[in-house]
């Protein structure tokens, strides 16, 4: 959960799937190296490409692929993930059936985890037993100091009651790992869920309060008591929410980089319990902390030192139980599903049990599962097969930078240096977490918490890394994840094995198709190094301004055009995209398709007749084919830095001159046609 959240903050990934899980309900996104069934596209000629290119390409597929009852959406990513789930299922059930004495430790751990997750009888019988020590500690809180300390105890035992606390590269000095603190403590996706006043949002707020009440009843409170306590807890969450940064504010690295020494922290926010927090067993020595949202600590300071302890106990107890609910007995799990999946995302049925356990195992034991997955399902030639494509794309990007007319030579030189220094990681890591010291038992929720606590110290964002040199081999996604990312603080692009397969990449497909699909993804991630956030970091990942005044103004002017373009796209009636929240992704999408197109041309030779070479754009459009539930779309518009899939296609191609050359039937008067002066030109 923690790593997923942080991916939202700093790391820019290709898609929200496997990336954003602010409420702790998600999991990894595994996939198989065995190609999933590959329906290519059937164009709908009755929808003119100039009116809606996305639907022109994807309409037939959309008609044939309704959303399954247990999903919030269906698309390329979910289909790849389904196949991977089956492979991971096979891998985990085999481990579960292996004789303990004849298996290696890794297999034994996977087997033990999976068995515990499938033993619903034991899970139901266990009730809240796994939380009993923590609930007793909450009960025993007798002072403000106790309160602060217990929040840390919960944190080190695998929960995240008030904030996220991790080890991360210091973006003021990228040779070191320091402690970082990110706002938390909410049961709904973000602060704005507590403050919106439209009817839908008010209904969600009411449904959430009802959810709190039901969880309290399940945990043993009387109906009347639970109703009163739910009001108290909701009010506390709302107070914390008001102190938080918005999603847009969280995109500004200058605002979210605030490194304090311990002395400064203690002086400014004395009630947080810094001594206890910085001495979590297994943590490296903490001398400073980056506080992403200082305003949130102002609120927390005030609440910890003034809100009634009795209210705090209610709040902590609820937060702990709610966070653990997906791994508790059926009634808790069903209530968790009812709010987080049904109400927030419109899903009508739970995933089958085995899938839920596979997803949890994948997210908690990513490297353990990943190592076996790679050995079994990933073609060892994958790395070599795509490397040439990566090279061509990088060279093309470099050449385009050199030719930009809007950028001066000094900034160009720095940009090209940064691109040359960008590292790439392909398919799977060279080194794996070994999970030494992780002890699992027969208790499912106990195992999830143990793995989560283990990751707090030893994971990619582990506190054990603080004070040590930065490890260049760390991956923040497992190889079985259908996604990719750019990490600005290490200036690297990362492509897990699971995305290096059809329909993204097929060694037997022609270049147009591979460049239109995977090529656009590769160039998308490279462009993140030069989007409105990424451009603020230098080639070594430090937050450092390498732009001239003039070039900065040029860049901002060009991106403003994208902001206003996307602000005009309406995802649902009355619900437009947020052009500022999605700006970084939209820049990356535009750069991605543009650069991939030219890389393809340089690999395939100049087009003799562009009209006969439409595959590139079709390949790009079909990657984003999707059917999604309205509730999920709404949730994404509010929280996801990526634009809705339709606009990842329509918002991009109509800015690209070569798109018009390839589709000369698109003419002024068509719904999405843009005059040259209205087309955004950045990279
Ligand atoms: Zn992206």
């Amino acid at each position: 959960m923690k790593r997923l959240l942080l991916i939202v903050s700093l790391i820019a990934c290709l898609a929200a799937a496997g990336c954003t899980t602010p409420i702790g309900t998600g999991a990894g996104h595994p996939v198989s190296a065995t190609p999933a069934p590959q329906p290519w596209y059937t164009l709908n000629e009755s929808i003119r490409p100039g009116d809606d290119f996305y639907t022109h390409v994807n309409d037939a597929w959309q008609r044939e692929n309704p959303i399954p009852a247990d999903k919030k959406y269906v698309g390329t990513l979910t289909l790849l993930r389904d196949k991977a789930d089956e492979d991971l299922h096979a891998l985990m059930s085999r481990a579960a059936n292996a004789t303990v004495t004849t298996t290696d430790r890794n297999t034994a751990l996977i087997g033990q985890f999976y068995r515990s997750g499938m033993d619903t009888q034991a899970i139901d019988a266990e009730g809240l037993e796994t939380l009993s020590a923590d609930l007793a500690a909450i009960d025993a809180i007798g002072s403000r100091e106790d309160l602060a300390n217990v929040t840390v105890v919960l944190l080190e035992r695998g929960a995240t009651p008030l904030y996220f606390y991790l080890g991360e590269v210091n973006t003021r000095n990228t040779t070191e790992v320091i402690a970082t603190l990110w706002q938390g403590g909410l049961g709904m996706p973000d602060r704005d869920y507590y403050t919106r006043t439209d009817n839908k949002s008010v209904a969600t707020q009411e449904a959430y309060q009802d959810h709190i009440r039901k969880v309290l009843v399940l945990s043993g409170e009387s109906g009347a008591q639970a109703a009163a306590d739910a009001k108290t807890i909701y009010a506390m969450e709302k107070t914390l929410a008001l102190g938080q940064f918005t999603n847009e504010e969280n995109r500004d690295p200058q605002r979210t980089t605030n490194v304090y020494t311990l002395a400064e922290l203690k002086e400014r926010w004395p009630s947080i319990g810094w001594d206890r927090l910085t001495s979590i067993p297994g943590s490296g020595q903490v001398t400073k902390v980056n506080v992403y949202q200082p305003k949130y600590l102002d609120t927390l300071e005030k609440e910890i030192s003034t809100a009634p302890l009795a209210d705090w106990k209610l709040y902590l107890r609820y937060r702990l139980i709610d966070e653990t609910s997906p791994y508790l007995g059926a009634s808790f799990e069903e209530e968790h599903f009812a709010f987080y999946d049904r109400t927030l995302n419109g899903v009508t049925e739970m995933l089958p049990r085995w899938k839920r356990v596979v997803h949890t195992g994948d997210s908690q034991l990513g490297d353990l599962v990943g190592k076996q997955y790679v050995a079994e399902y990933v073609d060892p030639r994958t790395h070599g097969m795509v490397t040439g494509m990566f090279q061509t794309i990088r060279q093309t990007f470099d050449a385009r930078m050199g030719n930009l007319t809007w950028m001066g030579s000094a900034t160009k030189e720095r940009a090209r240096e940064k691109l040359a220094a960008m590292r790439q990681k392909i398919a799977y890591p060279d080194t794996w977490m070994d999970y030494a010291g992780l002890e699992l038992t027969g208790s499912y929720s106990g195992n999830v918490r143990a793995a989560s606590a283990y990751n707090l110290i030893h994971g990619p964002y582990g506190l054990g890394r603080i004070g040590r040199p930065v490890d260049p081999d760390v991956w923040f996604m497992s190889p079985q994840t259908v996604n990719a990312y750019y990490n600005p603080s290490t200036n690297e692009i990362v492509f897990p094995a699971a995305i290096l397969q059809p329909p993204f990449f097929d060694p037997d497909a022609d270049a147009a198709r591979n460049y239109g699909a995977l090529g656009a993804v590769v160039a998308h991630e490279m462009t993140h190094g030069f989007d409105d956030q990424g451009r603020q970091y230098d080639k070594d990942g430090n937050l450092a301004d390498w732009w001239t005044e003039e070039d900065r103004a040029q860049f901002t002017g060009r991106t403003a055009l994208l902001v206003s373009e996307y602000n005009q796209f309406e995802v649902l009636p009355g619900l437009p995209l947020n052009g500022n929240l999605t700006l970084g992704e939209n820049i990356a999408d535009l750069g991605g398709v543009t650069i991939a197109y030219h890389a393809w041309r340089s690999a395939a030779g100049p087009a003799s007749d562009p009209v006969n070479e439409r595959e590139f754009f079709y390949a790009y459009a079909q990657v984003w084919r999707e059917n999604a539930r309205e509730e999920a779309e709404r949730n994404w518009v509010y929280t996801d830095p990526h634009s809705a899939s339709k606009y990842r296609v329509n918002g991009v191609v109509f800015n690209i001159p070569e798109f018009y050359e390839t589709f000369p039937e698109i003419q002024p008067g068509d719904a999405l046609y843009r005059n040259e002066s209205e087309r955004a030109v950045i990279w």
Side-chain angles (χ1 to χ4, degrees):
M1 287 170 248
K2 292 167 205 74
R3 61 176 207 143
L4 294 174
L5 184 103
L6 245 285
I7 286 171
V8 182
S9 74
L10 205 56
I11 281 180
C13 26
L14 177 72
C19 203
T20 59
T21 314
I23 46 176
T25 52
H29 287 249
V31 79
S32 156
T34 314
Q38 287 315 310
W40 192 218
Y41 56 84
T42 308
L43 301 176
N44 182 337
E45 299 291 357
S46 69
I47 297 165
R48 300 168 61 235
D51 289 339
D52 182 352
F53 187 66
Y54 173 87
T55 310
H56 171 65
V57 179
N58 292 321
D59 183 58
W61 182 92
Q62 287 180 294
R63 286 170 194 281
E64 285 160 17
N65 289 272
I67 308 165
D70 60 5
K71 287 194 167 59
K72 54 185 171 186
Y73 77 107
V74 60
T76 303
L77 301 181
T78 64
L79 292 173
L80 285 176
R81 179 175 172 170
D82 281 346
K83 180 67 179 73
D85 282 350
E86 279 163 30
D87 293 336
L88 292 183
H89 183 211
L91 185 157
M92 288 190 199
S93 19
R94 219 166 33 242
N97 293 326
T99 323
V100 176
T101 49
T102 61
T103 55
D104 60 279
R105 179 180 148 77
N106 288 359
T107 305
L109 283 173
I110 295 171
Q112 206 167 3
F113 189 93
Y114 187 75
R115 274 198 308 273
S116 72
M118 294 305 289
D119 190 349
T120 50
Q121 244 181 336
I123 293 168
D124 282 330
E126 200 183 356
L128 292 175
E129 179 55 35
T130 190
L131 301 176
S132 57
D134 292 347
L135 293 172
I138 293 168
D139 244 12
I141 291 172
S143 67
R144 304 283 163 186
E145 202 185 349
D146 284 354
L147 168 59
N149 288 343
V150 167
T151 65
V152 180
V153 171
L154 297 177
L155 186 73
E156 70 190 16
R157 290 172 52 84
T160 48
L162 288 177
Y163 47 77
F164 298 87
Y165 179 65
L166 316 111
E168 278 191 290
V169 170
N170 179 3
T171 52
R172 298 276 185 216
N173 169 13
T174 55
T175 62
E176 62 176 12
V177 177
I178 61 168
T180 62
L181 192 149
W182 180 272
Q183 66 191 15
L186 306 184
M188 287 201 284
D190 70 29
R191 74 174 313 275
D192 293 339
Y193 272 78
Y194 295 80
T195 58
R196 285 192 195 92
T197 53
D198 62 281
N199 291 343
K200 281 241 179 233
S201 300
V202 169
T204 304
Q205 288 155 11
E206 282 164 5
Y208 180 55
Q209 292 180 63
D210 199 45
H211 165 71
I212 301 176
R213 184 186 61 76
K214 286 175 177 160
V215 170
L216 295 179
V217 168
L218 288 174
S219 66
E221 288 194 11
S222 73
Q225 188 65 47
D229 290 350
K231 281 201 167 59
T232 304
I233 291 163
Y234 183 81
M236 289 184 75
E237 284 195 16
K238 185 166 179 180
T239 303
L240 296 181
L242 293 174
Q244 301 205 345
F245 277 14
T246 63
N247 291 323
E248 271 180 67
E249 289 169 329
N250 279 329
R251 291 195 68 252
D252 180 349
Q254 304 296 342
R255 286 187 77 152
T256 55
T257 306
N258 311 283
V259 180
Y260 298 92
T261 64
L262 269 186
E264 289 167 338
L265 293 165
K266 288 180 186 177
E267 157 125 33
R268 185 157 174 188
W269 300 292
S271 304
I272 304 298
W274 298 105
D275 286 331
R276 181 68 184 79
L277 183 63
T278 55
S279 57
I280 288 177
S283 168
Q285 199 189 345
V286 178
T287 57
K288 52 195 159 194
V289 178
N290 180 41
V291 177
Y292 278 95
Q293 302 91 0
K295 179 179 149 194
Y296 178 63
L297 283 193
D298 292 342
T299 303
L300 207 52
E301 172 68 29
K302 178 162 174 273
E303 292 305 302
I304 289 182
S305 51
T306 60
L309 286 182
D311 292 358
W312 268 116
K313 292 186 193 185
L314 288 175
Y315 168 89
L316 288 175
R317 184 167 180 275
Y318 162 71
R319 290 279 307 148
L320 178 64
I321 295 170
D322 192 47
E323 203 179 348
T324 318
S325 285
Y327 324 110
L328 295 174
S331 51
F332 285 98
E333 212 191 353
E334 279 157 19
E335 179 48 38
H336 192 271
F337 169 84
F339 180 71
Y340 289 104
D341 297 282
R342 187 178 289 131
T343 302
L344 282 184
N345 288 304
V347 179
T348 55
E349 244 175 53
M350 266 196 208
L351 288 168
R353 177 93 207 155
W354 69 262
K355 256 194 195 199
R356 308 203 296 275
V357 178
V358 161
H359 289 176
T360 308
D362 180 41
S363 83
Q364 295 295 345
L365 304 173
D367 265 26
L368 203 59
V369 179
K371 194 176 177 185
Q372 299 207 354
Y373 171 84
V374 164
E376 215 163 317
Y377 298 107
V378 176
D379 187 330
R381 296 169 302 170
T382 303
H383 188 286
M385 287 189 293
V386 297
T387 299
M389 210 168 140
F390 275 64
Q391 261 165 7
T392 309
I393 291 168
R394 193 190 290 256
Q395 283 160 4
T396 303
F397 198 179
D398 178 68
R400 285 185 66 80
M401 278 177 175
N403 291 332
L404 289 177
T405 52
W406 61 266
M407 187 184 262
S409 59
T411 311
K412 270 185 191 175
E413 200 177 317
R414 305 295 290 276
R416 294 175 71 183
E417 272 172 23
K418 182 173 178 180
L419 180 65
M422 191 181 282
R423 288 183 301 176
Q424 63 192 36
K425 292 177 174 171
I426 298 176
Y428 47 86
D430 296 325
T431 57
W432 302 88
M433 271 174 71
D434 64 4
Y435 297 85
L438 173 64
E439 296 297 335
L440 299 181
T441 65
S443 162
Y444 182 47
S445 57
N447 288 343
V448 173
R449 303 191 75 214
S452 184
Y454 187 87
N455 287 326
L456 177 73
I457 304 301
H458 304 283
Y461 293 107
L463 302 178
R465 299 175 182 277
I466 295 170
R468 298 204 325 239
V470 174
D471 177 358
D473 295 329
V474 176
W475 283 53
F476 295 103
M477 269 179 196
S478 64
Q480 61 272 26
T481 308
V482 188
N483 213 331
Y485 68 85
Y486 171 74
N487 186 354
S489 65
T490 52
N491 191 27
E492 64 181 2
I493 49 175
V494 183
F495 296 82
I499 201 164
L500 304 175
Q501 62 170 341
F504 287 99
F505 176 76
D506 180 348
D508 299 321
D510 68 28
R513 185 169 165 186
N514 283 334
Y515 275 92
L518 182 64
V521 173
V522 173
H524 169 106
E525 297 307 337
M526 279 186 194
T527 307
H528 271 312
F530 307 92
D531 69 15
D532 62 319
Q533 289 178 300
R535 72 169 193 86
Q536 299 181 55
Y537 300 80
D538 69 12
K539 70 180 173 58
D540 299 314
N542 292 298
L543 264 178
D545 193 355
W546 44 273
W547 292 64
T548 63
E549 193 71 42
E550 213 177 10
D551 292 332
R552 189 181 316 120
Q554 272 285 346
F555 181 87
T556 317
R558 284 160 189 275
T559 58
L561 192 57
L562 273 191
V563 173
S564 63
E565 179 196 331
Y566 282 82
N567 275 339
Q568 285 158 29
F569 290 132
E570 216 176 36
V571 176
L572 295 169
L575 187 71
L577 279 174
N578 178 341
N580 283 315
L581 175 62
T582 56
L583 178 59
E585 294 301 334
N586 299 333
I587 295 171
D589 280 341
L590 177 56
V593 180
T594 305
I595 295 157
Y597 179 87
H598 291 283
W600 165 54
R601 291 276 43 130
S602 90
S608 50
D609 178 5
V611 180
N612 289 328
E613 301 192 27
R614 298 182 159 196
E615 291 292 298
F616 174 89
F617 289 106
Y618 292 148
Y620 177 68
Q622 61 94 38
V623 156
W624 295 111
R625 60 197 180 186
E626 175 183 293
N627 283 315
R629 295 180 190 280
E630 256 188 51
E631 292 87 341
E633 297 256 36
R634 187 172 296 278
N635 194 340
W636 289 331
V637 168
Y638 289 149
T639 60
D640 189 346
H642 303 88
S643 293
S645 287
K646 182 173 180 177
Y647 303 104
R648 296 193 75 167
V649 177
N650 286 347
V652 172
V653 293
F654 289 89
N655 283 308
I656 298 177
E658 291 77 12
F659 176 67
Y660 294 91
E661 290 169 16
T662 311
F663 296 87
E665 66 268 43
I666 299 176
Q667 288 294 321
D670 289 349
L672 289 166
Y673 181 90
R674 267 180 218 122
N675 292 315
E676 262 179 67
S677 63
E678 302 170 299
R679 296 175 198 164
V681 181
I682 305 172
W683 299 110

